[in-house]
Amino acid sequence: MSEQTPMLAGPTMSDEQIRTQVKAIVLDLAPSPDGLHGTETALVQDLGFHSLALMELAFALEDEFDLDPIDEKTARSITTLHAVQEHVLHRIREQAAES
């Protein structure tokens, strides 16, 4: 995981702060972080993620942002850095609305 001090997602974090934190986690766990070229960077093709690394990424995001586990169908549709960021933001908003 990242050497950064963990920040808990919540009302004090802006969308941009969450996106930045997600990007840092993705790059920290990416097998080939030099492949980054913007938010449309592909997790597999550009950053070198394989199935085990993708699972590790999912677990890290679940832990960092206190998210429920992701289902397989949703996981398969998340293929870019932008999609990861949007998924995390969406889940945080859902959890906030439920509480």
Side-chain angles (χ1 to χ4, degrees):
M1 185 69 121
S2 172
E3 296 289 327
Q4 300 174 351
T5 304
M7 297 172 63
L8 295 177
T12 59
M13 286 186 73
S14 70
D15 286 2
E16 193 55 39
Q17 288 172 316
I18 293 169
R19 283 187 182 91
T20 299
Q21 189 171 354
V22 168
K23 178 181 174 182
I25 293 168
V26 169
L27 290 178
D28 187 48
L29 295 175
S32 302
D34 294 338
L36 179 69
H37 56 73
T39 58
E40 291 308 313
T41 298
L43 299 176
V44 174
Q45 294 87 345
D46 298 324
L47 298 177
F49 278 93
H50 49 78
S51 58
L52 188 58
L54 288 169
M55 286 179 55
E56 183 179 2
L57 175 59
F59 293 145
L61 292 170
E62 290 165 9
D63 287 345
E64 187 71 22
F65 296 101
D66 194 28
L67 302 175
D68 293 330
I70 189 170
D71 63 84
E72 186 176 347
K73 181 180 178 186
T74 302
R76 290 185 184 279
S77 71
I78 299 173
T79 61
T80 65
L81 172 58
H82 178 74
V84 175
Q85 292 169 322
E86 291 304 308
H87 173 76
V88 171
L89 284 168
H90 177 74
R91 296 302 306 265
I92 289 171
R93 289 180 190 131
E94 278 184 343
Q95 287 179 343
E98 292 171 358
S99 32

